[in-house]
Amino acid sequence: MKRTKLYELDDEGIWRGPYARAIGMGWIEGKMNFLSKFQQKDFKEFCDIMKNCSSGIHVDDVGREWPDFLASGHITLLPFFVSERVIQSLRDEEIPFRRAIEIPVTSIESSALKNIPPPKYYVLEAEIGIEMGEEMKSVPIGYLQPGKLASIPAGGIIEQEQPHPCPAYSTWNGSPLFTARSPDVENQQYTRLYCDHRVTFLAMKEKWTNFRAKELRVI
């Protein structure tokens, strides 16, 4: 039977494109539990050290338009924020998701956007819908020193087969929008999102801006 194509959701990743881009965010009390407890502790300590780090999303000096998928810059383990329009589209199409946590934009460096009110942005979470398996993958472990192994050219890369985590297609539960189960239960993330054609078709129909779907490699 032919497999259904699965995708990983992301922003377009254009550094100097037309769209706004977040470069960070400050701690918002009561809204940071999309991070694990360990990550929350580290992030809170970081924000406490950065005394001028205001709560909410900080937007870079690039861009002249507010996108539906707002790139998250250097925010740990959060690939993007999504606009209220995306959330409403998912609800209208009855595509389930775990949570949508509103995060306000509080700092805007782009002169072109300072006088344009931003849409409401959210951290989007999905329920676990696929398990992780393992495949063997060649991983560079060093470089050959001259004279060590005559069978490998001097200066060549030494590789070793090592297990590599990869989503296992046979465990996908059929959800249109989902995330993968982490092998580390304490640090389970729900913000790395995968989908099938039902979400990509919706994105095309609604013309979500700054949206990209990369085909997901599965085993």
Side-chain angles (χ1 to χ4, degrees):
M1 183 180 294
K2 186 177 180 181
R3 287 184 172 187
T4 299
K5 287 186 178 181
L6 302 178
Y7 304 89
E8 180 175 359
L9 301 191
D10 203 354
D11 62 89
E12 287 187 347
I14 301 174
W15 182 259
R16 290 284 173 180
Y19 298 115
R21 184 189 65 207
I23 52 172
M25 70 175 293
W27 182 270
I28 305 176
E29 198 63 46
K31 289 198 171 187
M32 305 306 295
N33 62 353
F34 60 87
L35 298 173
S36 71
K37 290 182 179 179
F38 178 78
Q39 292 159 350
Q40 288 181 58
K41 179 178 179 294
D42 279 359
F43 190 61
K44 181 66 165 63
E45 289 176 356
F46 170 79
C47 290
D48 288 344
I49 293 170
M50 303 294 290
K51 299 297 184 182
N52 60 345
C53 184
S54 62
S55 298
I57 300 169
H58 305 165
V59 172
D60 203 350
D61 61 355
V62 302
R64 57 184 183 276
E65 299 176 37
W66 294 110
D68 288 315
F69 276 63
L70 178 66
S72 67
H74 302 295
I75 301 169
T76 303
L77 296 173
L78 183 63
F80 48 75
F81 301 94
V82 299
S83 71
E84 186 174 28
R85 200 167 77 89
V86 172
I87 299 299
Q88 191 58 53
S89 295
L90 294 172
R91 286 175 173 152
D92 290 345
E93 291 296 315
E94 298 183 346
I95 293 176
F97 52 86
R98 185 173 186 265
R99 288 192 306 177
I101 306 166
E102 185 181 352
I103 307 292
V105 174
T106 56
S107 172
I108 303 171
E109 293 186 19
S110 170
S111 58
L113 291 170
K114 284 185 180 292
N115 296 318
I116 304 176
K120 291 180 179 179
Y121 281 111
Y122 297 81
V123 173
L124 179 61
E125 295 183 334
E127 296 287 2
I128 296 168
I130 200 167
E131 306 290 331
M132 298 298 287
E134 286 187 347
E135 64 175 350
M136 298 305 292
K137 187 175 181 180
S138 294
V139 178
I141 60 172
Y143 293 88
L144 179 70
Q145 297 299 315
K148 294 290 184 181
L149 291 173
S151 61
I152 304 178
I157 298 173
I158 303 172
E159 294 186 337
Q160 184 179 76
E161 290 283 310
Q162 294 183 0
H164 177 72
C166 191
Y169 182 86
S170 63
T171 67
W172 176 45
N173 66 4
S175 299
L177 181 67
F178 57 97
T179 193
R181 187 183 304 279
S182 171
D184 181 0
V185 177
E186 294 297 318
N187 286 305
Q188 174 66 49
Q189 296 296 305
Y190 299 94
T191 56
R192 186 171 183 180
L193 305 180
Y194 307 116
C195 71
D196 69 2
H197 62 277
R198 286 169 284 185
V199 174
T200 59
F201 285 179
L202 179 61
M204 289 188 287
K205 183 180 79 169
E206 297 296 328
K207 296 182 172 62
W208 292 348
T209 54
N210 205 36
F211 167 81
R212 177 174 59 165
K214 303 178 292 184
E215 188 171 346
L216 181 65
R217 176 173 173 75
V218 295
I219 56 173

